[in-house]
Amino acid sequence: MTAEPLRTVPAVLERFGSTFSEFTAAFNRGQYVLWLGSGISRDRVPNVYELLERVLEHLRSNIVDADPDCEYRTALQEVLRLAGLTSEELESIDHSIAVEDWPLQDRILSTLVTNYSRVLDVLVGDDNPDDYLVWTGLDVPNTYGSPDLEPDVEHYCIAVLMLEGLVESAVTANWDGLLEEALDRLTPAFDSLVRVAVKPDDFRIAGPRIEVIKFHGCAVRARDGEAEYRKLLIARESQISGWTEQPENMVMRKRLEVLYTNRLTLMVGLSAQDANLHTVFARAIQDLARPWPASPPAVVLSEERLESYHKMLLRRTYDPHYRQNANAIGQSALLGAYGKPTLLALVLSSLTEKLSFLVEHGVGTVWDSAAVKQLQTDLLSLRDSVASHADPDNPTLDSSAIVKFQREFLARLIDVANLALTIFRTGRIPTAGGGRYEPLSDRPVNQAIHNPDFPSEQFGRLGVALAVIGRGLASGHWSAVPGDSKAPNGGVVRLVTDRRDARVFFVKDATTLMKLELDDSFDDSDGNVLIVVADEEPPVFTRSPKSRFGRDGKISVGRFNVASSVADAASADDLYEAFKLAGGF
């Protein structure tokens, strides 16, 4: 049943195109809700193992040796009993040395990881609040609510997918504010686009098209508004077990049930161990049972293997079909990859599929299906070329070096995508290193094309131009160097051969090109610049017409007009040759 683990972005993309093609197609139509857990923040905040060590050390370091009834000693002993230690083992622990130096440390913490909610429910004396080990032992305000925390690859990928309109709702058990921070950094319109729901009143906020639901509370809000939000932090067993029955949670519970009932589920970094989640899922399925076979799959798990709690989730979801189809259901759900490669692959796949759809939508009225298919194949070649740079070549790097590499890759990807789309739409160079993201469309592309203001034909022609570049990469005719907003005169991409190093800009029409020229983004006499224009251009009448690159030997900016070239070409091969001629390749 277990799929082969996937550790690289190209490997995940290959699975998206094969056994998970139905999932990919449905995801690109905006049909999946993201259910997120601590796994997406594991490289930014301490994991459960580390947090439990912190709790133990907090209790140990506060023991008063002279007090035989010390409340911290009593609480520590209760926690250690949850680890299944014998009386002799309990007696052998030396409270005078740090937890990290205990001989039994690893065994204790490994056992407590699966009992973390019971650990956090341990009371410390009569005067401390019930959530003492959560709020003070874990130091929630400075651990999860710290303003110094930086979003990671997963948070930025999810933010991109939400801004692209492919994910409307993200449900998270995480206390940190890293997803919200990523969204805020990528768009100046955070307040009007995003609704963060932590308490029932938040669901009354109408208007935003992006929804982040934090059903276990929010450390950022608790840090800034302790009186109102501290009590909403859910972690203790007594809270989790009774969560679904508490009147104050009814609105939240019903919203989660509706999402699980009516929408498809992609779980990333969420173990789904907590009892309140299983109750929500069970009630949701009672309202509308899931059929089997299911196409696309009702649940997809971004995991490398199925654990017992995943199987329980699938049993609840597909009951009464699960028992006879357990193996097939498991195969349909288990993607085989963790969050980083999964989400990076989804970003690349989704952007490519949008452009591929627009190419067919626009060029399909001019060319036959075989020619359109060739362009779409060339777009996939470009995607795969980009994906080949998402993982380090050195397999011996440690995990921190790999994560650093992936962060730099995604930052570069977001930067060049924003550079390309901003120039294409407006003819303006975006603020250098601004960190914003300009989506291709703010909804699934099959919906976006019905918006009269959406330039679907122009974006389709951009897709054609990128497909041509992808063909040149696949054939080895040129290499490509992505642009950089910090060096805007370097173009959106550089195409490099033995004889040429061309800086390429993409614009939608002549008006946009004029704005780009007025901003002095390139020198009109620079033969190492290639301008790709999507729309037909009006004829230019001047006393001394400027020559085009390659026509009379004079040096000037190269120009490739996609609309006229598509109209003149009989095939993708002809178009490719026309592009090479216009660019001097």
Side-chain angles (χ1 to χ4, degrees):
M1 180 191 300
T2 302
E4 180 184 350
L6 308 175
R7 304 287 169 80
T8 67
V9 174
V12 178
L13 286 171
E14 191 281 328
R15 189 156 291 173
F16 282 171
S18 54
T19 53
F20 276 77
S21 60
E22 292 177 346
F23 156 75
T24 310
F27 185 90
N28 289 326
R29 293 193 296 270
Q31 295 184 8
Y32 277 85
V33 171
L34 290 183
W35 294 70
L36 310 170
S38 60
I40 70 166
S41 300
R42 62 186 300 174
D43 294 311
R44 290 305 195 191
V45 296
N47 59 34
V48 177
Y49 187 101
E50 295 169 311
L51 291 172
L52 288 171
E53 181 177 349
R54 181 181 298 183
V55 168
L56 291 177
E57 182 59 24
H58 176 81
L59 293 173
R60 186 207 67 80
S61 62
N62 281 281
I63 291 175
V64 179
D65 291 331
D67 182 2
D69 298 320
C70 176
E71 58 194 20
Y72 291 94
R73 179 187 289 109
T74 301
L76 179 59
Q77 292 295 103
E78 184 175 347
V79 170
L80 293 175
R81 281 193 290 272
L82 291 173
L85 298 188
T86 65
S87 300
E88 292 77 13
E89 288 170 331
L90 285 171
E91 290 292 334
S92 71
I93 292 177
D94 185 353
H95 295 166
S96 68
I97 64 175
V99 171
E100 65 180 358
D101 295 324
W102 288 0
L104 295 174
Q105 179 232 27
D106 187 61
R107 176 184 152 195
I108 291 169
L109 293 174
S110 298
T111 303
L112 292 178
V113 162
T114 57
N115 290 302
Y116 76 92
S117 61
R118 296 175 66 191
V119 171
L120 297 176
D121 228 353
V122 169
L123 301 178
V124 182
D126 297 330
D127 298 327
N128 288 316
D130 291 352
D131 69 346
Y132 176 82
L133 287 184
V134 175
W135 187 256
T136 304
L138 298 181
D139 191 13
V140 167
N142 296 309
T143 301
Y144 294 96
S146 171
D148 297 328
L149 289 178
E150 287 288 325
D152 210 343
V153 169
E154 293 91 334
H155 309 102
Y156 280 118
C157 284
I158 294 166
V160 167
L161 294 169
M162 297 185 104
L163 293 174
E164 288 287 349
L166 302 174
V167 175
E168 293 180 358
S169 300
V171 181
T172 179
N174 294 350
W175 291 336
D176 63 66
L178 293 174
L179 175 54
E180 301 95 288
E181 180 67 20
L183 282 162
D184 189 37
R185 292 185 182 185
L186 292 185
T187 176
F190 177 89
D191 291 336
S192 60
L193 286 179
V194 183
R195 175 178 74 184
V196 181
V198 180
K199 54 187 178 63
D201 288 351
D202 295 330
F203 289 103
R204 290 199 174 107
I205 301 172
R209 64 175 179 82
I210 294 173
E211 176 181 61
V212 179
I213 302 176
K214 308 186 76 168
F215 65 96
H216 276 180
C218 176
V220 177
R221 292 194 181 183
R223 179 198 69 206
D224 297 334
E226 180 179 343
E228 185 175 8
Y229 288 98
R230 174 174 171 174
K231 61 188 176 184
L232 300 179
L233 296 172
I234 307 299
R236 296 176 289 125
E237 184 178 44
S238 58
Q239 295 173 300
I240 294 171
S241 61
W243 186 87
T244 56
E245 303 306 319
Q246 297 299 320
E248 62 269 24
N249 297 325
M250 289 300 107
V251 173
M252 179 72 73
R253 191 203 79 200
K254 289 178 180 178
R255 178 61 179 154
L256 299 188
E257 288 176 7
V258 167
L259 288 174
Y260 199 77
T261 300
N262 297 341
R263 305 290 295 278
L264 304 174
T265 291
L266 171 60
M267 287 193 175
V268 185
L270 181 65
S271 64
Q273 293 183 64
D274 294 335
N276 60 338
L277 268 185
H278 281 275
T279 301
V280 166
F281 298 149
R283 290 183 174 179
I285 296 306
Q286 287 176 0
D287 294 334
L288 185 64
R290 290 289 183 182
W292 181 261
S295 177
V299 176
V300 173
L301 304 168
S302 183
E303 300 283 349
E304 289 191 352
R305 60 182 179 274
L306 288 181
E307 303 291 355
S308 59
Y309 36 82
H310 297 133
K311 295 176 183 178
M312 179 60 69
L313 166 67
L314 296 176
R315 179 186 293 273
R316 290 187 182 279
T317 302
Y318 289 106
D319 189 61
H321 310 287
Y322 181 80
R323 185 176 180 85
Q324 293 76 27
N325 302 283
N327 186 59
I329 288 172
Q331 290 178 343
S332 77
L334 182 62
L335 181 59
Y338 288 135
K340 279 187 173 65
T342 294
L343 292 166
L344 283 168
L346 278 175
V347 168
L348 291 174
S349 171
S350 299
L351 291 174
T352 306
E353 288 305 311
K354 280 190 174 187
L355 288 169
S356 182
F357 180 94
L358 292 169
V359 166
E360 182 174 12
H361 179 71
V363 182
T365 60
V366 181
W367 286 1
D368 61 27
S369 59
V372 172
K373 182 66 175 176
Q374 180 61 60
L375 289 174
Q376 293 173 321
T377 300
D378 293 336
L379 268 177
L380 289 177
S381 294
L382 178 60
R383 181 204 70 182
D384 292 344
S385 176
V386 175
S388 69
H389 298 283
D391 306 284
D393 294 330
N394 185 354
T396 64
L397 291 178
D398 60 25
S399 59
S400 62
I402 294 173
V403 169
K404 182 176 183 292
F405 184 96
Q406 291 171 324
R407 288 170 183 162
E408 292 172 350
F409 168 81
L410 180 60
R412 191 75 182 273
L413 177 64
I414 289 174
D415 182 72
V416 73
N418 186 56
L419 178 68
L421 292 173
T422 301
I423 291 176
F424 184 80
R425 279 191 171 103
T426 68
R428 303 294 187 189
I429 302 295
T431 303
R436 296 298 186 184
Y437 178 77
E438 179 77 20
L440 183 60
S441 64
D442 64 0
R443 65 195 69 187
V445 70
N446 62 327
Q447 300 173 23
I449 59 171
H450 299 297
N451 182 344
D453 296 324
F454 181 70
S456 57
E457 290 188 356
Q458 293 165 325
F459 274 131
R461 290 167 188 151
L462 173 62
V464 169
L466 292 173
V468 170
I469 290 174
R471 170 176 278 210
L473 282 172
S475 65
H477 192 83
W478 51 60
S479 60
V481 180
D484 188 336
S485 64
K486 296 184 179 67
N489 293 337
V492 170
V493 64
R494 285 172 40 221
L495 298 182
V496 182
T497 69
D498 292 339
R499 299 183 298 110
R500 291 278 285 148
D501 187 342
R503 305 190 304 279
V504 184
F505 294 86
F506 305 94
V507 293
K508 66 179 182 179
D509 53 27
T511 301
T512 310
L513 175 57
M514 183 181 299
K515 292 178 181 177
L516 191 65
E517 289 180 295
L518 291 174
D519 277 355
D520 294 325
S521 299
F522 62 90
D523 184 343
D524 196 43
S525 64
D526 189 342
N528 288 322
V529 171
L530 173 62
I531 304 296
V532 177
V533 185
D535 283 354
E536 293 275 7
E537 298 176 82
V540 178
F541 299 101
T542 64
R543 292 182 180 179
S544 300
K546 294 181 180 179
S547 60
R548 293 302 178 204
F549 187 93
R551 292 185 179 178
D552 57 10
K554 295 182 179 180
I555 301 298
S556 64
V557 168
R559 183 80 62 92
F560 180 73
N561 186 278
V562 181
S564 60
S565 297
V566 168
D568 294 342
S571 67
D573 294 338
D574 290 347
L575 188 70
Y576 179 56
E577 293 302 321
F579 182 88
K580 289 195 295 182
L581 179 63
F585 298 108

